[in-house]
Amino acid sequence: MQYRSEVEAADALKSAYQEIRAEISKVIVGQDEVIKFVLISIFSNGHCLLVGVPGLAKTLLVQTVAQVLDLDFKRIQFTPDLMPSDIIGSEILGEDRNFKFIKGPVFSNIILADEINRTPPKTQAALLEAMQEKAVTAAGVTHALSKPFFVLATQNPIEQEGTYPLPEAQLDRFMFNVTLGYPSFKEELEVVKNTTGATTASVNKKLNAEQISYFQQLVRNIPVSDNVLEYAVKLVGKTRPNGEFATPQIKRLLNWGAGPRASQFLILGAKCHAVLNGKYSPDIEDVRAVAKPILSHRIVRSYHAEADGLSADDIIEQLF
């Protein structure tokens, strides 16, 4: 696909985003913020962690996104007995007496890691290399994954019995940590109307893998001014209790802050957010727009913050 200029390509991305949102809204009612962050993470070549109680259409959302974007989709149901080979694949002895690698479900464009905290850390770690390197190593051989590659994981925030909290290294692989809320009365009324009748909504394909890869590169090519870069890096620096930018209040409220990957994701997310809103370069408002879901799972609250009833988002609001 060719555009005469990056400005024209940016306009095409904004237009495609609006069309994608319109198609998804045929199936998913409400959840506008969630859909926005899922699509930003895809166009930024990142991954997304969804936290919400059962029944909020998390699985339906990712299935719908895969259909609209014309991408291969695989769902992995994480359970305590799941093994790494169930995700990445394994070698078997073929009829010709030679070992051959049988690819697992991770070899797809969009992976739904359903209830990712239900499986032990050994199996959770099977996704680490795939999420960071976009590749899988088995028996000493590295296999490249399909492009684009996107992991959308879900967690149930209420039921903690029989779960294994995600380690910090795993959490840090996710660009966004998005919390889903209950729909409003009007939204739930529309959901019930749409899902209890004889007809079901269908969606049209709007982009393909090649176009998505092009737009991912376009997002990386968007210029950023020095003051926006400095703001993003300083914002992340403020989360580090022992850092030079931490205030006395932050030192009291946080035990641990975000790492450099947060700064990278802030800039990538701000670039994509800017383009989707008709701008050709991000400003500080774009950084702020994506900051909470990027930073919330990268900071560790202190006892004082929990005693004061302050959430991660409350603390990030103070950073602004």
Side-chain angles (χ1 to χ4, degrees):
M1 56 189 299
Q2 294 291 329
Y3 295 98
R4 286 174 292 182
S5 66
E6 289 196 344
V7 169
E8 184 180 335
D11 291 338
L13 173 55
K14 178 189 175 185
S15 177
Y17 169 73
Q18 292 171 339
E19 292 178 7
I20 292 167
R21 289 289 296 266
E23 289 298 318
I24 294 175
S25 65
K26 294 179 182 178
V27 179
I28 305 296
V29 177
Q31 305 293 5
D32 291 336
E33 283 287 292
V34 177
I35 295 170
K36 178 182 75 174
F37 287 129
V38 168
L39 293 176
I40 287 177
S41 59
I42 289 178
F43 290 124
S44 301
N45 202 15
H47 309 286
C48 192
L49 177 63
L50 295 184
V51 180
V53 298
L56 294 182
K58 297 187 293 292
T59 303
L60 181 61
L61 169 60
V62 68
Q63 288 176 331
T64 306
V65 169
Q67 290 173 3
V68 175
L69 299 181
D70 195 18
L71 297 174
D72 292 332
F73 165 73
K74 293 285 174 59
R75 173 180 174 172
I76 306 174
Q77 187 65 51
F78 280 69
T79 57
D81 61 345
L82 196 72
M83 297 296 290
S85 59
D86 295 327
I87 298 175
I88 64 175
S90 59
E91 284 200 325
I92 65 169
L93 189 63
E95 295 178 355
D96 57 355
R97 293 296 183 183
N98 291 318
F99 283 98
K100 61 179 180 179
F101 180 67
I102 303 299
K103 294 180 178 180
V106 76
F107 287 87
S108 190
N109 296 125
I110 293 186
I111 306 297
L112 172 60
D114 207 11
E115 296 197 89
I116 190 172
N117 58 334
R118 291 268 171 213
T119 197
K122 176 182 178 181
T123 305
Q124 291 176 6
L127 279 176
L128 284 174
E129 182 186 11
M131 293 173 69
Q132 182 62 28
E133 308 296 336
K134 307 293 192 299
V136 164
T137 301
V141 179
T142 300
H143 306 269
L145 295 175
S146 305
K147 292 182 179 180
F149 176 73
F150 172 64
V151 174
L152 193 148
T154 68
Q155 279 190 182
N156 179 352
I158 297 176
E159 188 181 354
Q160 298 302 324
E161 185 175 344
T163 62
Y164 304 84
L166 292 178
E168 298 302 322
Q170 181 90 46
L171 279 174
D172 201 42
R173 295 294 197 279
F174 288 99
M175 181 176 186
F176 289 125
N177 177 27
V178 184
T179 300
L180 284 80
Y182 288 109
S184 66
F185 172 76
K186 288 185 177 180
E187 290 171 346
E188 190 163 352
L189 197 62
E190 189 175 347
V191 168
V192 175
K193 280 183 180 179
N194 293 345
T195 57
T196 57
T199 60
T200 56
S202 60
V203 296
N204 300 311
K205 297 177 174 59
K206 290 299 178 181
L207 289 179
N208 56 36
E210 181 184 355
Q211 291 171 309
I212 294 168
S213 296
Y214 176 87
F215 285 135
Q216 286 177 339
Q217 188 59 47
L218 172 70
V219 168
R220 298 192 74 88
N221 291 341
I222 291 170
V224 186
S225 62
D226 288 343
N227 71 306
V228 175
L229 281 170
E230 290 172 5
Y231 179 83
V233 174
K234 189 175 290 187
L235 184 64
V236 173
K238 287 180 180 179
T239 68
R240 300 166 187 163
N242 298 324
E244 58 180 308
F245 301 114
T247 63
Q249 177 73 340
I250 291 301
K251 291 179 180 180
R252 176 178 175 272
L253 296 177
L254 294 181
N255 287 335
W256 202 255
R261 191 179 276 127
S263 301
Q264 295 170 332
F265 282 147
L266 276 178
I267 293 300
L268 281 173
K271 285 181 176 186
C272 190
H273 187 271
V275 172
L276 300 184
N277 285 277
K279 294 182 283 188
Y280 304 116
S281 182
D283 54 29
I284 288 174
E285 289 306 312
D286 292 304
V287 176
R288 290 186 175 190
V290 298
K292 287 183 180 179
I294 288 176
L295 295 176
S296 62
H297 57 301
R298 293 182 164 88
I299 59 177
V300 179
R301 293 176 298 154
S302 69
Y303 164 79
H304 299 289
E306 294 183 9
D308 293 346
L310 293 175
S311 67
D313 284 353
D314 294 330
I315 297 172
I316 295 167
E317 194 70 41
Q318 293 187 23
L319 298 177
F320 293 155

